[in-house]
Amino acid sequence: MPHPSPHLQPGPAAPAAGDPDWQVWSDAWTRQMPTLTGRSDLTVTVAPGAGGGAPACCYPDAGRIEVDATYIGSPDIANPRRAGHKRLVPTAYGLLVHEAAHAAHSRWRTPPGTPPVVAAAAELLEESRIEYRQRTRRRGDRRWLRHTVTTLISADDAPVDDPWHAAHLAALLLARVDARILTAKDTKGIRAAVTTVLGRKRLLQLREVWRHAHSVDDSDADTMIDLAWRWCRILDVDPHRQPQAPAADAGVFAGLLAQALTDYLAHTAGLTAGQYRDQQITERFSAPATWTRRDPTDGERAAARLLAARLRAARTHHSEPDTRPSTVPPGRLRTRHAITAQAQIAAGAAPTATPWQRRTQLPPPKPTLHLGVIVDASFSMHPYAAPMSSAGWILAHAAHSNQAVTATIAFGSDVTLLVPPRRRPTHVLELRADGGSTAFTDAVKLADQLLQLRQPGRLRMLAVVSDGDLPDTGPAQRLITTLHRTGCPVLWLRPADLDGHTFTDATTILVADPVQAIGHIADAAVTALEHA
């Protein structure tokens, strides 16, 4: 679900602009408010972009609910005057029901002077409380609330494995089991991950808090705030010393919580975890519409062929004595396999057994190289935009037939996936270096997610092309150090003519010519394979 703060706004706010195309929906859902909430003073606005930045929003004091029409699709997808339209837009209708639950039951207000961390905990407890009250009053609404919960919760709700975010995830999902919106079977994996981070005793203490919250009266602000203080004490958060809600450390990779949440979301969507992850990556990190594609040049094709040959030679440079199974002599007869081959022939099947084993010279087995390339797309790196666009295409094509996996990622103010892993792009995507440099840590985490850079037992490497002029080098350094300690070397290619930060636990090379960066990355990949 959306975080509580942006989608419940007690104070006044400018209403969203209405859309004539959606007026029928706004009128139809406004007429449903007395039934859903018991209030006759509520109006509903359905329009693209409504919701105050969230999928939906409730302004209980203003008597207004807004729903983003994006979650419906088009105005003619259903007739909102007919009861059956709910089945065609279950997510949007679930949003309406959730906001109606706030309008009906969120009657308490946070007292002035309450520390923000305590207010955040109280608002978090309010999410399952109002759904519990709504379901108690209208049992049939569980269907729509359940669909909305399982559809709109985001993997961003578990960015790191720390107690605060584990408790946050528990309040969003495990508390809804006690509210009888979800089932224990739904959240089995989530419970296991949360228990690992928090411990069984602390999770039980938190459960007592949210179960108590479910029984609190709609206007009892004192009890809700007291429960929020108790929530903070259980998590060892002192609101007097730490008044703000703990933020996720940008220098820490996602862990058990994120994986469990991804598995949960994938299961509810009817997808495998890999399919769900790929779907989310495509939606979040696709190239901007202003970036263009072009056909590769003859020089780029030649460079890809040359690099492919070098990678192939690196994998087969030193042959070693070995044995190879064979279906025909010469060689040593393997009796068991010979009997199997005869049995297959007698059964009329094509023989697959290999009765003979011969000596031969074979290249030693080499692991698959996983290479991530991160390119700085800030304005100062403009001369490197064209060469690194070429590099992404060259690396992908060279790796295609050489048991290597590459991914090229650009970062500026946002992260863009230039070349996904295991893809052989037909065109060169030309990145534009005209942004900032705030998204470096997100780019590193995406590379780790795509290539499992921290996973031991595989050959992996990360190459970064950047001047290192980042707004916050601390989290970036911690991510680099984590990769280094798990056995993933980091190659940092820095322009020689630009001032920047030099990171420890990374091999830094000063590059005088942008085109040279491609050669340095290729050399590092070949060297890694030769020494594997």
Side-chain angles (χ1 to χ4, degrees):
M1 291 293 296
H3 191 276
S5 296
H7 84 109
L8 177 61
Q9 301 288 346
D19 189 324
D21 293 337
W22 291 93
Q23 190 60 46
V24 174
W25 286 82
S26 299
D27 295 341
W29 280 7
T30 296
R31 286 193 292 270
Q32 292 194 32
M33 284 299 99
T35 302
L36 290 175
T37 66
R39 292 178 57 173
S40 58
D41 60 333
L42 294 171
T43 60
V44 178
T45 299
V46 180
C57 189
C58 177
Y59 302 88
D61 294 346
R64 190 173 75 254
I65 290 174
E66 296 179 3
V67 179
D68 189 348
T70 304
Y71 293 87
I72 298 175
S74 60
D76 58 354
I77 195 172
N79 184 351
R81 298 187 184 95
R82 296 180 178 273
H85 83 282
K86 306 170 189 176
R87 294 191 296 272
L88 299 176
V89 291
T91 298
Y93 193 77
L95 287 171
L96 180 71
V97 173
H98 181 83
E99 302 309 328
H102 274 302
H105 300 291
S106 292
R107 299 178 183 173
W108 63 274
R109 299 292 177 263
T110 303
T114 303
V117 65
V118 176
E123 292 165 356
L124 190 60
L125 293 170
E126 181 73 354
E127 292 298 285
S128 62
R129 189 193 76 85
I130 57 103
E131 290 190 1
Y132 174 78
R133 304 285 285 193
Q134 183 76 8
R135 183 193 183 281
T136 301
R137 188 167 50 84
R138 289 175 48 84
R139 295 177 61 88
D141 286 347
R142 172 189 181 271
R143 173 184 180 182
W144 314 112
L145 292 171
R146 172 184 169 85
H147 187 93
T148 303
V149 169
T150 56
T151 302
L152 295 183
I153 195 169
S154 168
D156 294 337
D157 288 312
V160 293
D161 288 351
D162 65 11
W164 180 264
H165 289 90
H168 181 88
L169 191 57
L172 287 177
L173 291 175
L174 303 186
R176 283 184 165 98
V177 175
D178 287 321
R180 294 197 287 179
I181 303 300
L182 303 177
T183 67
K185 183 178 179 181
D186 293 333
T187 59
K188 183 178 179 180
I190 299 292
R191 186 178 299 277
V194 170
T195 303
T196 300
V197 176
L198 289 176
R200 189 179 301 274
K201 179 179 179 181
R202 189 151 52 171
L203 179 57
L204 289 175
Q205 292 173 335
L206 293 178
R207 187 187 183 201
E208 291 178 2
V209 173
W210 73 58
R211 292 185 71 177
H212 187 176
H214 292 171
S215 64
V216 173
D217 186 76
D218 292 341
S219 58
D220 191 349
D222 292 339
T223 302
M224 290 300 296
I225 297 300
D226 287 344
L227 291 174
W229 277 92
R230 183 180 170 190
W231 185 273
C232 293
R233 287 194 296 270
I234 293 171
L235 297 175
D236 296 325
V237 174
D238 185 350
H240 298 295
R241 296 182 178 180
Q242 186 180 353
Q244 300 297 324
D249 186 349
V252 177
F253 287 98
L256 286 174
L257 297 177
Q259 183 60 53
L261 185 52
T262 298
D263 292 343
Y264 167 80
L265 293 171
H267 176 73
T268 57
L271 303 171
T272 66
Q275 290 171 334
Y276 178 81
R277 182 198 64 194
D278 292 344
Q279 182 186 83
Q280 294 299 305
I281 288 174
T282 301
E283 292 177 0
R284 296 181 59 184
F285 303 115
S286 295
T290 55
W291 292 15
T292 59
R293 298 180 186 271
R294 61 170 174 81
D295 293 330
T297 64
D298 292 339
E300 289 165 341
R301 295 182 189 276
R305 289 193 296 269
L306 176 60
L307 179 55
R310 293 182 63 191
L311 293 174
R312 194 176 305 112
R315 299 190 66 87
T316 61
H317 189 60
H318 299 290
S319 296
E320 297 178 355
D322 203 347
T323 58
R324 171 181 289 176
S326 175
T327 57
V328 296
R332 180 180 177 182
L333 180 65
R334 301 192 296 174
T335 308
R336 186 178 64 180
H337 293 267
I339 294 173
T340 301
Q342 291 297 324
Q344 290 174 332
I345 293 172
T352 58
T354 52
W356 301 91
Q357 182 170 285
R358 66 178 64 172
R359 293 181 181 276
T360 186
Q361 292 291 116
L362 294 175
K366 297 279 189 176
T368 299
L369 172 64
H370 291 74
L371 171 62
V373 179
I374 296 179
V375 183
D376 190 339
S378 61
F379 182 77
S380 61
M381 295 292 294
H382 178 74
Y384 286 77
M388 298 316 301
S389 298
S390 298
W393 188 92
I394 292 170
L395 290 169
H397 278 256
H400 182 72
S401 58
N402 287 282
Q403 293 181 299
V405 180
T406 67
T408 305
I409 301 166
F411 77 92
S413 302
D414 298 300
V415 175
T416 302
L417 181 57
L418 288 173
V419 182
R422 297 182 177 86
R423 298 284 179 86
R424 197 177 183 184
T426 57
H427 295 86
V428 177
L429 176 60
E430 294 189 312
L431 69 91
R432 295 181 59 178
D434 55 4
S437 57
T438 58
F440 174 75
T441 56
D442 292 333
V444 176
K445 292 175 183 179
L446 176 59
D448 174 67
Q449 185 180 6
L450 293 171
L451 301 170
Q452 290 79 52
L453 297 178
R454 290 176 294 144
Q455 182 176 324
R458 60 172 57 195
L459 180 61
R460 59 247 200 266
M461 184 179 72
L462 179 66
V464 181
V465 182
S466 171
D467 57 9
D469 186 15
L470 307 178
D472 191 352
T473 57
Q477 180 63 72
R478 290 195 293 275
L479 292 178
I480 292 170
T481 299
T482 299
L483 291 175
H484 173 75
R485 290 177 178 174
T486 56
C488 176
V490 178
L491 174 67
W492 197 289
L493 304 177
R494 207 181 82 192
D497 58 341
L498 294 178
D499 295 331
H501 182 76
T502 300
F503 291 88
T504 59
D505 297 322
T507 302
T508 302
I509 298 177
L510 296 180
V511 181
D513 184 352
V515 177
Q516 292 179 351
I518 304 177
H520 286 303
I521 296 172
D523 292 343
V526 171
T527 302
L529 273 175
E530 287 179 341
H531 292 85

